[in-house]
Amino acid sequence: MRTAVTVIVPTFNERDNVAELVARTATALAAYDAEILFVDDSTDETAAEVERVAADAPLPVRVIHRDDNTGGLGGAVVVGLRAASADLCIVMDGDLQHPPELLPALLRRHDEGEADVVAASRYIGGGDTSGLGTAVRFGVSRAATWLTRAMFPIRLARSTDPMTGFFLVDRRRLDLPSLKPQGFKILLEILARTDLRIAEIPMEFAERRHGTSKASLRQGATFVAHLARLRFGKMSLFALIGLIGALANLGIMWLLTATGVPYIWAAIIGAEVTIIGNFILQERFVFADMRTDARGLGGRFAASFTFNNVEAALRIPVMALMVESWHISSVLATGLSLIVAFFARFLFHSLVVYAPQRRRRTEPVGSEPKPDTAALRIIRAIDAEAMKPGEL
């Protein structure tokens, strides 16, 4: 029996590459029971072009068009993994920078055993990065790879190119619901959240034929945020937003004190502005996946606003005491007090503001509530949010 394989191709405005990609993939996988599955987020006619090419293609070609591109390219890959006909899946880009002629080599390496993932790497012997184009793009790619491997030294010890988008994976070895991809780097998501064994083959990264690169500053920011989320959980994003708020707080306070406003009033105004700003950012980037089961928006804001004001009401007198007793700068005292307040804020938001209210209401009437002490909730929050997937 011929090996069954699904080639998953996430696309965004790659209409001009479809016909060539299908033809070259069909030739490369002629000895396999293969299909090509496009998961399309395009705003052009890419999906229609796939359907046109599929009519005469020598192998099955399907397309799933998403109107809501949740998770970006990584989210499209997860959709493809769920919908694939075969358990053996190969992910590749639709821009032809990943050569389809390398598909059999990925399959042969998987057949050799001792690998759940086989990645095509630009950075091992025989690999090539000329398709990256400019020295700036090469430098950014290498720096991102070094940063990623440094943050996951154990899980990525055998991966030279965890940022590659060209890889084979056995779907049966994945817990798909646990994957929460954001942006381009789905292989990083898989390797960081699992203990799958990885092998690599060299890849010559080709130049783009048609269309334009999707890389941007926004994608870079998404990558950094997702990397932090993978390594440290929600706490890292909460800390990042807290840092932004702290800098804004200090900036507002410096500006106001420079214009003659007493530092106590400057601290109060800075705190109120950043409390509201932090809540908006936390809603969007930190606790978005918990909002559905939590209380309504008004209740969340009221709880967050009240807690932060109570915390500020306690913190500001302490800050004033530090200034008067230790004779240090009011800005430095504010910075120190904000660091101390960080952990209390995170735990309160995780355990109270975004607590799953709906789940409690749907429990059977008369059922015995499970013991759930404050200590246990704190331990679970730290374990689930701060350490997953984590490496000690």
Side-chain angles (χ1 to χ4, degrees), residues 215-288:
S216 64
L217 288 176
R218 180 178 179 180
Q219 286 294 337
T222 299
F223 161 69
V224 171
H226 188 49
L227 182 62
R229 182 188 299 113
L230 283 171
R231 186 60 185 90
F232 301 110
K234 282 184 169 59
M235 186 178 284
S236 62
L237 290 178
F238 192 87
L240 179 60
I241 291 172
L243 175 61
I244 294 171
L247 293 175
N249 194 336
L250 294 174
I252 293 169
M253 185 175 176
W254 174 82
L255 182 62
L256 292 176
T257 54
T259 59
V261 177
Y263 70 85
I264 293 294
W265 284 107
I268 292 173
I269 294 171
E272 294 303 313
V273 172
T274 53
I275 283 172
I276 296 172
N278 282 2
F279 175 79
I280 294 172
L281 293 176
Q282 290 158 11
E283 278 275 303
R284 174 64 179 84
F285 297 107
V286 181
F287 298 107

Side-chain angles (χ1 to χ4, degrees), residues 22-68:
V22 170
R24 290 170 60 183
T25 300
T27 300
L29 296 179
Y32 296 87
D33 182 13
E35 72 160 349
I36 305 175
L37 174 58
F38 289 86
V39 184
D40 180 58
D41 295 333
S42 299
T43 57
D44 65 2
E45 300 300 320
T46 297
E49 177 67 4
V50 172
E51 293 175 347
R52 185 191 70 79
V53 171
D56 299 319
L59 78 174
V61 177
R62 294 187 287 144
V63 61
I64 299 173
H65 179 73
R66 301 196 304 167
D67 293 321
D68 180 11

Side-chain angles (χ1 to χ4, degrees), residues 311 315 318-319 322 332-342:
E311 176 270 319
R315 176 171 52 82
V318 172
M319 180 268 293
M322 293 167 64
L332 176 59
T334 301
L336 293 174
S337 64
L338 287 172
I339 293 174
V340 174
F342 163 73

Side-chain angles (χ1 to χ4, degrees), residues 291-331:
R291 293 182 308 196
T292 302
D293 293 330
R295 70 187 77 187
L297 175 61
R300 296 196 300 271
F301 176 76
S304 176
F305 187 79
T306 300
F307 176 83
N308 282 297
N309 273 285
V310 170
E311 176 270 319
L314 296 174
R315 176 171 52 82
I316 289 176
V318 172
M319 180 268 293
L321 181 63
M322 293 167 64
V323 172
E324 301 298 335
S325 301
W326 297 356
H327 305 291
I328 63 175
S329 163
S330 61
V331 173

